[in-house]
Amino acid sequence: MEKTLRVLIVEDSEDAAELLTLELKRGGYHSITQRVETDDDLAASLSKEWDIVLLDYNMPRLNVMTALNRLKQLPYDLPVIIVSAAIGEERAAELMKLGANDYIRKGNLARLVPSIDRELREVEDRRQRKAAENSLNYLAYHDPLTSLANHNAFHLHCAKEISQAGGKAMVMLIININNIRDINNTLGYKNGDLVVKHIGKLVENVLPDNALLARLRGNDFGLLLKGGADTAALLAQKILTSVQQPFVLETLSVDIEIVIGMAQFPEDGNDVGTLLGKANIALQSSIRSGTEYAFYASSQDTVSREHIALLGELRAAIGKNELMLMYQPKIEVRTGHVIGMEALVRWRHPQQGLLPPGQFIPLVERTGLINLVAQWTLWEAILQCQAWQKAGYKIPIAVNLSTRNLQDINLPEQIRGFLETAETPPHLLELEITESVLMADPSRALPLLKRLHEMGINISIDDFGTGYSSMAYLKQLPINEIKIDKTFITSLMRNHGDAVITRSTIDLGRNMGLFVTAEGVEDQHALDGLMVLGCDRAQGYHISRPAPPNDILQWLQNRDRELPGEMIIPSR
Ligand code: C2E
Ligand code: CA
Ligand code: CA
């Protein structure tokens, strides 16, 4: 079947133009052409849309550079192929530098159609990449469900407001739908989503001008309000009243319970993180006491005293061998082959039982103790890697690092020492870092990261999609892999926005030559979906839960029996 092609021919000779049209016809194109030979005609012809331009090099009434310039200033991507009698290589190179897409000689018109085919393909590639980049950029700052600002945008907005406040009072509010779990369970997630949307709209309606409402995560909204406690209390009441209007879903009137926690600037904190933290403490205390809203008060912090005690115990715990590592496999989606193991720390606390990292790592991260934890983890994981190698499994091992670890300039040398002692090649070690780790202090983290990467260690960006960094920023980093955060994957099949993020991330990651891993794969459904989207690797409960080393060895042996195959060592 003939393909229609809109071709603008910039050429002074009618015969030459005719030859081009014939060549196109021979190549299977039905071309709609127009020939121009002056700058004015060229300018006029550009009010129409074209698929491609064939530009003669030598014209008496139009300079080729002038024409090229004009064509490359168009707001859309229009490929230009220079057609000419023989010109020198140098001249051709110069034209390409100015934006010409290809150059063919009049004596060799057989190249015309293949060149056009290729240029059209590349235009389409560029268009798709751009679209993916745009949708990621949009999604980087918006919540797909409510179209409100997301937590990234909110953080940026609040940081700016705070820096410009000049000490004027503001209040941070977290507005929480307290019974969303019940709503989801009884009416289903779809209706739960509708409730979230509905609340977003209600709150927006009662906001003063220039206040930014954001959806922080799940059932939390964030809001930074100019003014003091009185203003905030009034607004909180307004919000609560407006929510009392019945909301009807599928003939059922849904009772929505809203709770609001508030923290004041500058008394309770003078940065976004602290204010959100304290508003959250106020929120929890409000939920516990059954009130509808509460301001932060230091008496609500009793938990933090327990935290300090825990920190003291942890220092001793490392010496007493109370920390342990569990491992969770990563597989290659296409083949099912195991391509890595992620080490996840646990604390066998003598009184409190097995503590997950969430209960102590965030505390430790604020102190220098995290470097000790990292050293312990790295050494332990590398030893395990050596043990598996001896058992015949050459499996790369991934270790999670925190912000402070990437500010410890001794880290690369320590790692080199560990690897050498355990006779383990650096490409078997992978370091997982979250975006926030890099953003916290890029001037220190970046050089360190480069050194580690140059040593042959693989670098992976963890929890991708939850932080602040854009793809554009990632391009500058020495990394091998991005891991799409599990929140996107667990709802991949249910939430369109998450599916878009996942798809765009996979496309862009692959375009950048990175491995893309999806974490949080909880069922076959998600794994199948990822296969369709072309995701490289997967990890999650469906494949295996994190398990102690012995169980993992067992798991590997079982899997070998069902699915014999080589371990694949990453090399992208
Ligand atoms: P992460 O690096 O994103 O690790 C993945 C977490 O998701 C693990 O929780 C894992 O058990 C859990 N997970 C794995 N598959 C699934 C799934 O299919 N569904 C769901 N819902 N969850 C899944 P864990 O072990 O509690 O670790 C939590 C976080 O603690 C880690 O998140 C990591 O950021 C941090 N962490 C763990 N070990 C270390 C460590 O040695 N050092 C540092 N600095 N941080 C660590
Ligand atoms: Ca991780
Ligand atoms: Ca993660």
Side-chain angles (χ1 to χ4, degrees):
M1 206 186 75
E2 278 193 337
K3 297 163 277 181
T4 302
L5 188 70
R6 297 165 301 180
V7 192
L8 178 61
I9 303 181
V10 188
E11 163 69 77
D12 58 297
S13 149
E14 227 169 290
D15 291 347
E18 187 64 20
L19 274 178
L20 292 172
T21 317
L22 273 176
E23 191 60 37
L24 287 170
K25 193 163 170 54
R26 205 154 17 161
Y29 281 112
H30 164 69
S31 53
I32 300 169
T33 59
Q34 179 179 348
R35 183 181 68 85
V36 296
E37 55 178 310
T38 64
D39 195 39
D40 285 347
D41 287 350
L42 174 63
S45 72
L46 294 178
S47 61
K48 284 181 264 180
E49 264 200 50
W50 302 101
D51 298 313
I52 198 138
V53 180
L54 304 177
L55 174 58
D56 183 21
Y57 179 74
N58 210 342
M59 290 171 288
R61 298 166 64 194
L62 177 54
N63 177 291
V64 69
M65 299 292 184
T66 316
L68 192 54
N69 250 330
R70 193 182 273 294
L71 291 164
K72 283 298 152 182
Q73 270 163 22
L74 288 175
Y76 64 100
D77 189 359
L78 178 60
V80 178
I81 299 177
I82 308 277
V83 186
S84 83
I87 53 172
E89 288 292 317
E90 248 172 61
R91 200 79 184 108
E94 199 179 323
L95 288 166
M96 304 288 265
K97 223 196 251 155
L98 285 173
N101 298 72
D102 198 3
Y103 150 69
I104 62 176
R105 277 185 293 114
K106 283 187 172 168
N108 188 12
L109 281 191
R111 268 199 62 222
L112 181 67
V113 167
S115 165
I116 290 179
D117 288 344
R118 196 195 55 224
E119 291 311 324
L120 295 178
R121 258 195 326 271
E122 284 183 3
V123 166
E124 179 56 18
D125 280 357
R126 285 194 291 268
R127 193 193 60 73
Q128 282 185 5
R129 208 170 318 154
K130 188 86 202 139
E133 214 155 316
N134 285 344
S135 69
L136 256 197
N137 275 341
Y138 179 83
L139 290 163
Y141 296 108
H142 293 87
D143 166 51
L145 176 65
T146 58
S147 301
L148 292 172
N150 66 6
H151 68 289
N152 294 345
F154 188 62
H155 264 262
L156 291 173
H157 166 82
C158 292
K160 190 162 151 233
E161 291 286 316
I162 287 172
S163 72
Q164 295 170 351
K168 278 216 192 90
M170 291 193 284
V171 179
M172 176 72 82
L173 289 85
I174 297 181
I175 303 158
N176 168 277
I177 309 173
N178 192 25
N179 60 337
I180 194 75
R181 193 179 289 223
D182 296 341
I183 296 174
N184 281 336
N185 287 344
T186 48
L187 299 176
Y189 281 98
K190 261 220 177 84
N191 285 321
D193 284 352
L194 289 178
V195 167
V196 171
K197 260 171 121 160
H198 168 70
I199 293 299
K201 287 230 177 68
L202 278 187
V203 178
E204 256 197 325
N205 284 342
V206 298
L207 287 189
D209 292 347
N210 75 33
L212 179 79
L213 179 69
R215 178 158 179 231
L216 297 181
R217 198 166 280 212
N219 52 343
D220 278 348
F221 295 88
L223 173 65
L224 184 68
L225 186 71
K226 291 197 174 116
D230 290 351
T231 320
L234 249 147
L235 180 68
Q237 273 154 3
K238 239 182 179 171
I239 294 173
L240 291 161
T241 315
S242 74
V243 176
Q244 275 156 16
Q245 311 295 327
F247 179 52
V248 180
L249 262 179
E250 296 178 354
T251 71
L252 268 178
S253 172
V254 187
D255 212 8
I256 307 172
E257 257 177 65
I258 294 289
V259 186
I260 302 174
M262 293 178 277
Q264 300 180 59
F265 168 85
E267 297 91 311
D268 299 335
N270 49 20
D271 65 82
V272 192
T274 311
L275 286 169
L276 276 173
K278 299 220 162 143
N280 198 31
I281 292 177
L283 178 74
Q284 300 310 325
S285 127
S286 169
I287 292 174
R288 273 198 304 274
S289 59
T291 53
E292 291 184 307
Y293 67 89
F295 283 92
Y296 168 79
S298 57
S299 58
Q300 297 162 347
D301 279 322
T302 44
V303 244
S304 64
R305 239 163 284 141
E306 291 160 27
H307 286 170
I308 291 167
L310 205 64
L311 270 178
E313 287 175 44
L314 181 65
R315 194 180 294 276
I318 299 176
K320 288 192 283 185
N321 224 2
E322 283 173 14
L323 292 189
M324 65 167 291
L325 291 182
M326 299 263 227
Y327 292 88
Q328 188 179 33
K330 283 189 203 177
I331 63 163
E332 188 180 50
V333 174
R334 204 170 40 82
T335 59
H337 289 156
V338 181
I339 45 86
M341 290 286 169
E342 176 176 1
L344 295 159
V345 72
R346 301 285 181 266
W347 179 3
R348 280 179 302 213
H349 191 281
Q351 281 88 42
Q352 300 185 39
L354 199 64
L355 294 182
Q359 292 200 16
F360 59 97
I361 291 287
L363 301 175
V364 184
E365 273 174 343
R366 285 185 241 146
T367 75
L369 198 56
I370 191 68
N371 288 332
L372 207 60
V373 173
Q375 274 170 38
W376 180 86
T377 312
L378 281 160
W379 177 231
E380 182 72 19
I382 289 170
L383 274 182
Q384 187 60 57
C385 183
Q386 183 193 34
W388 279 328
Q389 285 176 72
K390 284 187 178 149
Y393 294 99
K394 212 169 177 186
I395 309 178
I397 205 142
V399 173
N400 292 282
L401 291 183
S402 303
T403 309
R404 275 200 183 221
N405 300 138
L406 278 192
Q407 292 169 358
D408 175 9
I409 50 166
N410 300 317
L411 185 75
E413 281 319 302
Q414 270 163 2
I415 294 183
R416 189 196 300 281
F418 292 160
L419 288 170
E420 277 171 14
T421 313
E423 294 174 326
T424 295
H427 68 264
L428 289 188
L429 177 64
E430 182 164 45
L431 300 175
E432 293 192 5
I433 53 184
T434 59
E435 299 164 70
S436 52
V437 165
L438 290 169
M439 302 307 277
D441 187 356
S443 63
R444 277 173 83 172
L446 222 78
L448 214 69
L449 208 61
K450 287 213 174 93
R451 281 236 329 267
L452 292 162
H453 192 253
E454 278 159 17
M455 283 163 62
I457 294 166
N458 289 300
I459 311 286
S460 169
I461 299 292
D462 207 349
D463 300 349
F464 185 80
T466 63
Y468 303 78
S469 63
S470 63
M471 269 288 171
Y473 177 68
L474 280 192
K475 280 182 194 156
Q476 305 161 20
L477 298 178
I479 55 176
N480 308 80
E481 179 192 66
I482 41 186
K483 295 183 82 174
I484 307 175
D485 190 63
K486 55 180 167 291
T487 51
F488 300 112
I489 307 302
T490 40
S491 61
L492 183 62
M493 298 298 167
R494 193 165 56 74
N495 182 323
H496 176 67
D498 288 350
V500 175
I501 296 189
T502 305
R503 177 190 291 271
S504 314
T505 308
I506 292 172
D507 289 350
L508 280 169
R510 305 197 80 191
N511 270 330
M512 285 162 57
L514 302 172
F515 285 113
V516 180
T517 300
E519 57 174 33
V521 175
E522 292 185 348
D523 49 41
Q524 187 61 36
H525 229 55
L527 195 57
D528 292 342
L530 289 165
M531 169 98 83
V532 172
L533 293 179
C535 187
D536 301 300
R537 306 160 155 192
Q539 193 182 21
Y541 293 166
H542 177 62
I543 297 149
S544 164
R545 289 193 173 248
N550 283 338
D551 294 4
I552 288 291
L553 189 61
Q554 191 82 56
W555 182 87
L556 282 168
Q557 286 161 348
N558 287 343
R559 210 172 161 91
D560 253 359
R561 243 169 275 134
E562 289 165 21
L563 206 106
E566 294 281 297
M567 293 297 151
I568 296 160
I569 297 171
S571 63
R572 195 175 281 179

